Amino acid sequence: MAERSIIDQLDDAVSALLAKPAVEWPVEDPVVASLVGVAEELRGLPREDFRAQLRSAFAERDTMSTPKMKVDRIPQNFPAVSARLVFDDASAAIEFYKQAFGAEEIMRLTERSGKIGHAEIRIADSVIMLSDEYPEHGAVSPKTLGGSPLKMHLYVDDVDQLAERAVAAGASIVRPIADQFYGDRSGQISDPFGYTWIIASHKEEVSQEEMQRRLWAWEEKQPQEKDPQKHGRPEGFHSVTPYITVQQPGELIDFLTKAFGAEEKFRTTGSAGGMHAEVKIGDSMVMVGGAPHIPAMPTAIHLYVPDVDDTYRRALDAGATSLMEPADQPYGERSGGVEDLAGNRWYIATPFVPLTEIAKDLRTVTVYFHPIGAQRFIDFLTNAFGASELMRHEGNEMIMHAKVQIGDSVIELGEARFPSQPLPTAIYLFVDDVDARYEQALKAGGISMQPPTDQDYGDRNAWIKDPFDNVWYIAAPKAVQ
Amino acid sequence: MSQATESDERLLIEAAQKDPSRFAELYEQNFHRVYAYVARRVRDRAETQDLTAHVFQQALANLGKFKWRGTPFVAWLYRIASNAIADQARRKVREVNDQPNPVTEASAPTDIEQVERRALLFQAVETLPEDQRRVIVLRFAEEKSIREIAGELQRSEGAIKQLQFRGLENLRNRLSEN
């Protein structure tokens, strides 16, 4: 018999001791022998639940027999109202809040499985109660619900420092820290568990009248900046417009017209000497441009149509090649795919539910990115353009599919899984403030191709290339600059 | 017992005599010793638990009669325990006549030093690193097999055995420190 390790030898002896206490198990190793001695003494170790039950039996009797006994009806150091948050991983949440907000753990009650039934943490002078999920008792986390209607508000001395600390611990910035009209410097962050925190430092005493005045003043400024019609964003355009660059743009427009019923709205000669055209497909605008001397940038598009089979057939008739015949997909749509003559990929789909039920701003033409490093790409969009992730589906430890909101548009993406896929593309992106977005995009890792410039076609725009080789034309009509 | 803790204990007893809610503190302070005392005389776990509960119930009921004479409170608890064990043994003898005479055994002088050592050991379990503590409690208090514990804690059997080894090693070291 191979010699057993002392750890196994000890367990052999302990097992024998627990099974047959009267029979002495031979132990030769002196270390093991000394530990078996301890184990013998441990036999009959009291059960924790027995000890706790007996204690609570005394406690109950005490409360009944001694009405004078002082139990604080509101426990000391507790405010009357506390949030009780539910997490998909409460233990990780406690760690995060320790790191991000300097929380202090007051207590935790765990099931034997390790699941946290109840825990309490203190952040500054406030208590937060928390637990893992118990769906059977209606306790579900934002991850399960796909969001949370509850926002937490946290006042600190130095909000900028806190934001930095929270981001280092894994939070992401939802709204950058800025001075607010009501006298706070504040912003919003999203923690890794789906809760949003408004973090703030109070900077200025503002009377309620003054706040009201500033709010109205701010409101008056809003419509001009927010309403695309008023600030002159061309009709029909939303934040994100694919700019499909091909060597034969005229040919592509023909194809789009035949296959997808595109309507040509505008055609001119572009700044690089090629064609620039704008077409409408369904409810979406698409820019088409290029010339034989300009390198093509084929694009992948998720094209939501009323009848996928019909559109697929028309696309093939118009000269496209099939990537995939239409079929019902487990993710809630019937879809097929084609590649046009210029190498653009069209994922044609008819979802089982109305588009707006999938996402409010989802439209006919939805750009589909295949970055290598999908998470980094989402981070870039978030940091550069203030994008926010709407949903993701993960598999094989990668992001198979995600939807991201940018301004009033939605883009989709999935980790590149085939050599043909990265397919970097070009996007015309309407923003409120070209210069600010440009700076932010550079900070987020973009490379400048052209700093903000007033163009004679009416826009001020700046061009950057992101770390995934996509080109972003960050633009706003000159009128609002 | 040092002077300080002796007078602390006296104050605590006096407090509990006036306000029974303070008895829980006496219970916490003495639980392991009473349990270890009973466990040394009685092998069966259920019986040990019943008798331990009985000792504390008696102590609470008779606390008003306790007079401080300089002997530790736990000595009084040991006496209650000793009487309770003897009573129980006598009852058993009456029930089953052919058993060896357990009265003799129960009233034999108890090796208090051994009991105290065991109580210290029980207490020391609570100071182990959490993963070791859980393995020791599941193995010796809940009497589970290595396989059951591995399943419950989602660790390998090898890891559980190793935690058992480290736990026992730590306990041995803590006992030798005392």
Side-chain angles (χ1 to χ4, degrees), chain A residues 96 99-102 154-178 185-191 197-201:
Chain A
F96 168 79
Q99 283 176 26
F101 301 150
L154 174 60
Y155 268 124
V156 292
D157 267 346
D158 184 341
V159 65
D160 295 271
Q161 203 179 46
L162 182 81
E164 223 168 87
R165 186 173 166 181
V167 168
S172 49
I173 303 273
V174 177
R175 230 182 50 207
I177 310 297
R185 180 168 174 75
S186 70
Q188 283 187 30
I189 59 171
S190 165
D191 71 28
W197 294 75
I198 300 164
I199 53 176
S201 297

Side-chain angles (χ1 to χ4, degrees), chain A residues 245-311:
Chain A
T245 311
V246 294
Q247 288 175 329
Q248 302 291 344
E251 204 177 272
L252 179 64
I253 293 171
D254 276 352
F255 168 78
L256 296 179
T257 309
K258 283 183 196 147
F260 308 137
E263 258 179 84
E264 187 174 326
K265 295 282 186 190
F266 181 69
R267 188 187 285 220
T268 184
T269 301
S271 53
M275 182 202 284
H276 170 85
E278 292 165 8
V279 303
K280 189 168 193 184
I281 303 177
D283 62 3
S284 308
M285 293 302 294
V286 175
M287 293 180 178
V288 177
H293 67 275
I294 298 173
M297 284 196 96
T299 301
I301 301 277
H302 205 162
L303 189 74
Y304 291 107
V305 297
D307 182 346
V308 52
D309 297 81
D310 179 56
T311 307

Side-chain angles (χ1 to χ4, degrees), chain A residues 300 367-371 377 411-415 422 425 427 470 472:
Chain A
V367 184
Y368 207 107
F369 294 88
H370 291 289
F377 182 61
I411 63 102
E412 296 177 322
L413 63 110
E415 183 75 42
T425 187
I427 299 294
N470 300 296
W472 298 81

